[in-house]
Amino acid sequence: MKCLILAAGYATRLYPLTENFPKPLLKVQDKTILDWLVDDIDSLGLVDEYVVISNHKFAEHFSAWAAEKTQKVTVVDDGTSSNETRLGAVRDIQFAIDKLSLDDDILVIAGDNLLDFSLTAFIKYAKNKGASCIMRYFEPSMEKLQKCGVAEVDGTDKILRLTEKPQEPQSNWACPPFYYYTKADAKLVKKGIEAGCGVDAPGSYIAWLCTQTTVYAMEMPGKRYDIGNLASYEKVQKEYKGIC
């Protein structure tokens, strides 16, 4: 299994902290955000390669980080150099698949989110389902639901519909940017783009995919920390206690 790490954004809301430095390599407590994620995932022993998808501006930072890791880490430079020219998450995923000729199950994660629970539970869930999967958590705030992917699910966790940034959310199930694609479904990313799925938000591909095949949504067993601005970064520095 491969793990694709989405890290090609520019984190403009964290300026000046991230003006010349990538957000996923910011430290929380004594580790970078990426170290928290990769070291946890690697404890399961199922991922044989981690692929960091970077923009051109920050590729060297990620390469220096990767050189210090014991895991196999490949850094892919998508060639963009500004927030205005970025490819978008879904196109970045396809870029990495094409660049490295990936032909495997793929775990896709945002490189700038922290979790207080182990992602190994999600990987085991997806392996047990034998299908592409996402995670979901109950979000009471209408305002926050309007800014993320929102899933409608049945009693078996099957996604009935997923909508990115809905004006009128049909459920309270918010979906963070952590996805598991089966090998077969990873081959469909290009088709999804050609069919007109959104390319900026990574959940847009899942929104399309669940109209083509069965996709499940696991309820998160813990909390996600989204570091979106300086205030949230300062908050997570104080509150984050690691993975339970």
Side-chain angles (χ1 to χ4, degrees):
M1 181 171 67
K2 304 296 186 287
C3 177
L4 295 190
I5 300 168
L6 301 174
Y10 292 86
T12 56
R13 290 186 296 155
L14 271 168
Y15 278 14
L17 198 60
T18 54
E19 191 165 4
N20 295 296
F21 193 77
K23 179 164 64 164
L25 294 183
L26 293 176
K27 284 196 171 183
V28 174
Q29 307 306 344
D30 60 341
K31 298 172 68 170
T32 70
I33 298 170
L34 268 191
D35 284 318
W36 281 112
L37 292 166
V38 170
D39 293 349
D40 170 50
I41 294 167
D42 208 59
S43 68
L44 195 58
L46 294 180
V47 172
D48 54 27
E49 182 178 9
Y50 295 85
V51 179
V52 179
I53 309 170
S54 172
N55 56 53
H56 184 66
K57 183 177 182 180
F58 294 142
E60 290 187 4
H61 290 282
F62 289 115
S63 293
W65 170 82
E68 299 296 321
K69 299 299 288 181
T70 57
Q71 299 91 348
K72 181 181 179 181
V73 181
T74 302
V75 177
V76 174
D77 179 352
D78 75 1
T80 70
S81 56
S82 70
N83 194 53
E84 291 71 31
T85 60
R86 68 188 186 278
L87 298 182
V90 179
R91 284 202 184 103
D92 269 328
I93 292 167
Q94 185 60 47
F95 180 83
I97 290 173
D98 290 342
K99 182 79 173 179
L100 302 176
S101 300
L102 300 182
D103 187 27
D104 204 345
D105 296 339
I106 298 176
L107 177 69
V108 178
I109 67 172
D112 59 356
N113 282 226
L114 282 173
L115 303 171
D116 68 1
F117 63 93
S118 176
L119 262 176
T120 60
F122 174 58
I123 298 170
K124 291 174 182 177
Y125 173 92
K127 288 289 187 182
N128 183 58
K129 288 292 189 182
S132 292
C133 296
I134 66 172
M135 291 196 292
R136 58 188 167 100
Y137 63 92
F138 188 87
E139 175 55 66
S141 168
M142 179 67 68
E143 182 180 358
K144 290 181 179 179
L145 288 169
Q146 291 173 333
K147 297 178 181 179
C148 68
V150 177
E152 298 168 58
V153 300
D154 69 12
T156 69
D157 291 349
K158 177 183 175 180
I159 300 175
L160 303 176
R161 182 169 64 171
L162 190 147
T163 308
E164 277 291 336
K165 301 180 180 179
Q167 286 302 303
E168 298 182 5
Q170 298 300 302
S171 84
N172 291 93
W173 292 119
C175 303
F178 295 88
Y179 315 95
Y180 178 93
Y181 303 163
T182 63
K183 178 179 176 179
D185 290 346
K187 294 178 182 293
L188 297 178
V189 176
K190 184 177 181 180
K191 183 178 178 181
I193 294 171
E194 291 172 347
C197 82
V199 296
D200 193 35
S204 296
Y205 171 61
I206 295 294
W208 174 83
L209 183 64
C210 66
T211 69
Q212 308 295 308
T213 189
T214 300
V215 182
Y216 293 97
M218 182 189 90
E219 186 171 356
M220 281 172 40
K223 184 177 179 181
R224 165 205 177 210
Y225 297 82
D226 180 16
I227 302 169
N229 52 36
L230 289 170
S232 61
Y233 180 52
E234 292 172 0
K235 184 178 180 182
V236 77
Q237 287 277 47
K238 297 175 182 177
E239 294 184 358
Y240 191 64
K241 305 300 181 184
I243 296 169
C244 299

